[in-house]
């Protein structure tokens, strides 16, 4: 893929065009990541990134807990077709995580899905520190 | 897509919707509100174009907003 037609070679430089938006967005993404319990943010980034880019994966995380496996299952269905994230799948998530944790996880999923696709479409490398993939 | 909220409202006496679910996480709610407000009120893209993309996205994803 070629680079962003505006000449931006990275997500950071692209977002810097809208500095007023980039700052609150970066704060929201950082807060979301921080509020995700345990390793879930990193696991989400790794799995979503793997599914979209074909790179990386979950091997570095070793054996996943049942709760982490539920996060992966929701992440995979969320990416493929959010309509398929059904009551049973969400019940697996909410059985292990509080409502506040579940919201943070779902926000992380949305960011990972959206920004990984954005980078892919724009031909941008992953350069977001603490990134979404 | 489920039409039954899968998390309880965080606001007593209020039904579960995006705002009352986000209230479980006040910090994220504030940060999201700030980001969303900036997105809609600033930038070079005209409002009709933003709204058109929002509506199209909502239709495809069965979003009620």
């Amino acid at each position: 893929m070629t680079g962003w037609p505006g000449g931006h070679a990275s997500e950071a430089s692209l977002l810097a065009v809208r500095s007023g938006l980039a700052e609150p967005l970066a704060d929201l993404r950082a807060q979301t990541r921080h509020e995700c319990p345990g390793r879930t943010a990193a696991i989400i980034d790794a799995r979503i990134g793997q599914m979209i880019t074909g790179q990386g994966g979950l091997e570095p995380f070793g054996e996943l807990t049942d709760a982490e496996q539920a996060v992966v299952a929701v992440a995979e269905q969320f990416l493929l077709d959010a309509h398929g994230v059904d009551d049973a799948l969400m019940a697996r998530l909410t059985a292990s995580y509080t409502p506040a944790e579940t919201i943070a996880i779902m926000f992380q999923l949305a960011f990972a899905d959206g920004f990984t696709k954005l980078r892919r479409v724009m031909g941008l490398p992953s350069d977001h520190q603490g990134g979404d993939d | 897509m489920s039409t039954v909220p899968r998390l309880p409202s965080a606001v007593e006496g209020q039904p579960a919707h995006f705002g009352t679910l986000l209230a479980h996480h006040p910090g994220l709610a504030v940060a999201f509100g700030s980001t969303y407000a900036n997105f809609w009120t600033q930038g070079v893209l005209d409002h009709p174009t933003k709204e058109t993309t929002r509506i199209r996205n909502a239709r495809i994803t069965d979003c009620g907003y």
Side-chain angles (χ1 to χ4, degrees), chain B:
Chain B
M1 188 70 73
S2 173
T3 55
V4 179
R6 288 156 170 165
L7 290 174
S9 168
V11 181
E12 190 174 344
Q14 295 289 318
H17 54 66
F18 187 79
T20 58
L21 293 187
L22 203 49
H24 282 292
H25 231 311
L28 284 187
V30 170
F32 177 78
S34 177
T35 304
Y36 207 58
N38 188 292
F39 175 82
W40 282 103
T41 61
Q42 307 295 320
V44 297
L45 198 61
D46 62 88
H47 199 85
T49 302
K50 291 181 181 178
E51 182 66 3
T52 299
T53 58
R54 186 198 68 76
I55 291 172
R56 183 58 181 151
N57 186 38
R59 292 297 176 271
I60 292 172
T61 59
D62 286 345
C63 172
Y65 287 95

Side-chain angles (χ1 to χ4, degrees), chain A residues 1-5 8 119-124:
Chain A
M1 254 185 231
T2 59
W4 166 246
H8 298 284
R119 287 191 293 271
R120 179 73 175 178
V121 169
M122 296 301 187
L124 300 173

